[in-house]
């Protein structure tokens, strides 16, 4: 990764490491990254400025910045546009990292296959109307009764599907893989605004 130029523009602040009995602090200089730049909501709503991007397995922000903007030092734009402040919790894991994470979290491969929760299955009546949407979290014993078609006396039943710990973690990780990027032609405008903000 190139030198993080993003932090060069931020002012320094005194950060207290320790405090003695007399109330005097032992400070160090750190960058004031507590006031993050947020892209305005009215700009974010403009579809022409942004586009969807799917992070491939093991891809990092600086690799995306280099591929999309020709400069890996713009990794901070990738993170800020997606409001990612905790890289380790919010960035998608690679396949191998996810496997290690699940094994550490659940203790064994067998436990990753245990049921995490139950979800509804998309259910339609005989006329094709959706009477129950999919992916609603419900109890294991949830039962949905519905008429086979409007005003019918024939009652059908839909039961939930069990989602394993593995399926849950994979789904959560895949959701993190769908990010938003700003178009290349707006990069310099964003950088200029950030530099004005930081100064």
């Amino acid at each position: 990764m190139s030198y993080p130029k993003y932090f060069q523009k931020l002012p320094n602040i005194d950060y207290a490491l320790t405090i003695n009995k007399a109330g005097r602090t032992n400070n160090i200089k750190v960058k004031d990254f507590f006031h993050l730049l947020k892209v305005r909501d009215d700009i974010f709503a403009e579809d022409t400025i942004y586009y969807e991007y799917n992070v491939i397995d093991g891809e990092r922000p600086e690799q995306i910045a280099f591929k999309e903007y020709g400069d890996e030092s713009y990794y901070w734009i990738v993170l800020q546009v997606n409001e990612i402040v905790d890289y380790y919790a919010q960035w998608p894991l690679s396949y191998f990292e996810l496997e290690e994470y699940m094994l550490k979290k659940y203790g064994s491969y067998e436990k990753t296959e245990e049921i995490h929760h139950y979800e509804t299955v998309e259910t339609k009546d005989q006329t094709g109307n959706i009477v129950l949407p999919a992916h609603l979290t419900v109890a294991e014993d949830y039962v949905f009764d519905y008429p086979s078609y409007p005003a019918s006396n024939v009652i059908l039943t839909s039961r939930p599907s069990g989602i394993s710990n593995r399926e849950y973690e994979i789904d959560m990780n895949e959701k993190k893989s769908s990010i938003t990027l700003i178009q290349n032609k707006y990069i310099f405008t964003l950088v200029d605004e950030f530099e004005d903000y930081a100064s």
Side-chain angles (χ1 to χ4, degrees), residues 12-199:
N12 292 323
I13 59 172
D14 288 324
Y15 183 81
L17 281 180
T18 58
I19 184 169
N20 63 22
K21 292 180 180 179
R24 297 194 61 166
T25 58
N26 178 25
N27 299 330
I28 60 169
K29 295 284 185 186
V30 297
K31 289 294 180 181
D32 183 11
F33 58 87
F34 296 103
H35 301 288
L36 296 177
L37 178 66
K38 183 180 184 299
V39 180
R40 290 185 355 229
D41 291 333
D42 59 326
I43 294 179
F44 195 84
E46 293 292 331
D47 293 338
T48 56
I49 297 177
Y50 297 90
Y51 61 98
E52 295 300 313
Y53 182 91
N54 194 58
V55 180
I56 63 175
D57 185 55
E59 197 170 30
R60 301 187 305 274
E62 66 271 19
Q63 293 173 316
I64 295 172
F66 183 77
K67 182 166 71 174
E68 298 297 309
Y69 307 132
D71 189 341
E72 63 181 7
S73 69
Y74 289 151
Y75 70 91
W76 62 269
I77 294 176
V78 175
L79 296 175
Q80 284 215 348
V81 166
N82 290 281
E83 298 184 10
I84 294 174
V85 294
D86 184 346
Y87 174 81
Y88 296 102
Q90 295 176 273
W91 192 258
L93 300 173
S94 70
Y95 171 80
F96 294 107
E97 289 171 334
L98 184 58
E99 286 294 319
E100 290 179 357
Y101 170 78
M102 288 190 290
L103 185 58
K104 183 177 179 181
K105 180 175 180 178
Y106 296 104
S108 69
Y109 289 112
E110 292 76 18
K111 289 189 176 181
T112 65
E113 299 301 335
E114 292 178 357
I115 297 298
H116 183 275
H117 67 278
Y118 289 83
E119 291 183 356
T120 56
V121 177
E122 183 178 85
T123 305
K124 298 179 181 179
D125 64 17
Q126 292 180 355
T127 62
N129 295 319
I130 296 175
V131 293
L132 180 66
H135 307 303
L136 300 176
T137 302
V138 294
E140 178 182 359
D141 59 355
Y142 177 80
V143 177
F144 179 74
D145 296 322
Y146 61 100
S148 59
Y149 58 88
S152 171
N153 291 327
V154 178
I155 303 300
L156 303 178
T157 298
S158 176
R159 296 182 183 276
S161 174
I163 305 299
S164 70
N165 291 321
R166 173 176 293 278
E167 290 172 314
Y168 170 76
E169 297 296 346
I170 290 174
D171 183 55
M172 291 296 101
N173 200 58
E174 286 179 352
K175 287 178 180 176
K176 294 177 186 177
S177 297
S178 180
I179 64 172
T180 301
L181 296 179
I182 189 169
Q183 288 192 42
N184 191 302
K185 61 184 177 181
Y186 297 112
I187 286 296
F188 294 115
T189 301
L190 184 63
V191 171
D192 287 344
E193 285 192 10
F194 167 72
E195 290 181 353
D196 289 343
Y197 163 79
S199 60

